[in-house]
Amino acid sequence: LPKTFWERSLFTKPADRDVVCHASAWDVDNKNDLRLKMCIQVRDEDFVTIHHELGHNFYQRAYNQQPYLFRNGANDGFHEAIGDAVALSITPTYLNKVGLLPQVPQESQDQEIAFLLKQGLDKIAFLPFGLLIDEWRWKVFSGEVTPANYNQAWWDLRHQYQGVAAPVPRSEQDFDPGAKYHVPANVPYARYFLAHLLEFQFHRGMCRAAGYTGPLHRCSVYGSKKAGAKLNAMLQMGQSRPWPEALEVLTGERQIDGGALMGYFAPLKRWLDEQNRGQKVGWTVPR
């Protein structure tokens, strides 16, 4: 991106005033004025987050030649998945190539499982939470959940999908859903649930385009012109065609497929099955 992009974007938290540090990407003029707003620290979490936000900006730049009404993601999940799909290529090999890792660690099962556990805590553990936020919200909008049981309905869903309970007693005098930024900010959330499936499908599609045939969690498409061309062809479509057609351009598939996520975490699944052999699967949470 041009130098002006970095000059206009907000990266350092101002010391003289309060600002909202929740990361976001902005297409200011529906043309070339693209900006990021986030408070960055030098750490791996922010390195991934900036990939996520830049995914929005590169998508916005790719479809800016479309008619105005088509300048958006093929569906909400696409926009949230682009940068995260690219971030899945942040492998030790990639970090070594760009000078952020002195050498590529020798592969071992312990390192592989540790890496996939870290990824799973971010990607898999999110899925039930990503689903329940809008399920709660839709029930509120439909009237099934009323103001008299806003908080109880929230914790019922947290228990059902995540197996967690409030650490201290809660009542309808509390409004715990409001602690999640996207609820008071009125930001739809099912897009993030879909994105956590799509990012692995996009990643698999780019890896195939790059000619990669190994384990999906070790794939990095860094430097692959073929993968980049396929990704850009999809991005340029914006919302001009139904989303299955956009998906097909990159992946060759017309349906959202959780199989890519399962393939990525297959070594972890095998390891967990062995570790948990004979154990009861599920949870019991005090109500």
Side-chain angles (χ1 to χ4, degrees):
L1 290 174
K3 181 181 178 182
T4 53
F5 168 84
W6 304 104
E7 291 172 342
R8 292 170 177 170
S9 298
L10 170 65
F11 294 136
T12 304
K13 184 176 182 179
D16 60 341
R17 62 189 186 278
D18 288 332
V19 298
V20 176
C21 276
H22 188 89
S24 55
W26 299 82
D27 182 1
V28 177
D29 64 356
N30 284 299
K31 191 175 181 182
N32 292 313
D33 191 352
L34 305 170
R35 308 188 190 193
L36 292 186
K37 177 193 69 65
M38 59 184 295
C39 303
I40 294 178
Q41 300 178 48
V42 181
R43 54 182 181 176
D44 64 335
E45 179 182 346
D46 286 354
F47 188 55
V48 173
T49 299
I50 201 168
H51 278 74
H52 175 90
E53 300 302 338
L54 283 172
H56 290 302
N57 281 152
F58 275 94
Y59 205 173
Q60 290 159 345
R61 187 177 69 168
Y63 58 57
N64 71 6
Q65 298 302 309
Q66 291 285 350
Y68 181 78
L69 292 179
F70 296 149
R71 295 179 193 174
N72 208 337
N75 69 32
D76 278 357
F78 275 60
H79 234 303
E80 300 301 334
I82 299 301
D84 287 346
V86 174
L88 290 176
S89 285
I90 302 176
T91 63
T93 301
Y94 163 78
L95 293 172
N96 175 254
K97 285 181 178 179
V98 298
L100 293 177
L101 195 65
Q103 61 185 26
V104 179
Q106 186 175 358
E107 292 181 3
S108 69
Q109 185 188 39
D110 287 347
Q111 288 182 335
E112 179 178 63
I113 295 304
F115 170 73
L116 289 174
L117 279 171
K118 178 180 180 296
Q119 288 287 79
L121 287 171
D122 180 31
K123 305 295 185 180
I124 298 176
F126 169 83
L127 288 170
F129 185 66
L131 180 65
L132 73 85
I133 289 180
D134 270 357
E135 183 168 339
W136 175 86
R137 184 156 34 190
W138 294 338
K139 287 183 177 182
V140 168
F141 291 161
S142 72
E144 180 181 344
V145 170
T146 67
N149 63 339
Y150 277 170
N151 219 49
Q152 184 61 53
W154 172 259
W155 284 108
D156 286 346
L157 289 170
R158 296 290 302 276
H159 172 264
Q160 176 185 345
Y161 287 114
Q162 293 184 282
V164 300
V168 296
R170 312 302 286 163
S171 73
E172 294 306 323
Q173 298 302 307
D174 305 302
F175 185 60
D176 295 317
K180 176 58 180 169
Y181 169 85
H182 299 73
V183 173
N186 196 34
V187 178
Y189 212 76
R191 62 181 63 172
Y192 299 101
F193 175 79
L194 293 175
H196 273 59
L197 301 177
L198 285 166
E199 66 176 277
F200 291 94
Q201 198 169 354
F202 292 166
H203 179 59
R204 183 175 65 183
M206 287 188 286
C207 291
R208 287 172 175 171
Y212 178 83
T213 58
L216 198 53
H217 66 281
R218 295 180 188 167
C219 170
S220 178
V221 298
Y222 175 68
S224 171
K225 300 288 187 181
K226 291 181 179 179
K230 277 223 166 189
L231 174 62
N232 197 54
M234 183 186 77
L235 298 183
Q236 288 178 335
M237 295 170 70
Q239 207 170 41
S240 64
R241 301 298 302 165
W243 68 261
E245 294 184 24
L247 180 64
E248 187 176 23
V249 167
L250 176 58
T251 68
E253 301 146 355
R254 294 179 61 88
Q255 293 184 329
I256 297 176
D257 177 20
L261 180 148
M262 295 297 294
Y264 184 95
F265 287 104
L268 179 61
K269 175 68 163 55
R270 289 192 294 269
W271 183 83
L272 287 173
D273 285 344
E274 182 61 33
Q275 300 301 310
N276 293 322
R277 190 180 301 277
Q279 301 295 319
K280 181 180 177 181
V281 177
W283 53 71
T284 301
V285 179
R287 302 299 301 278

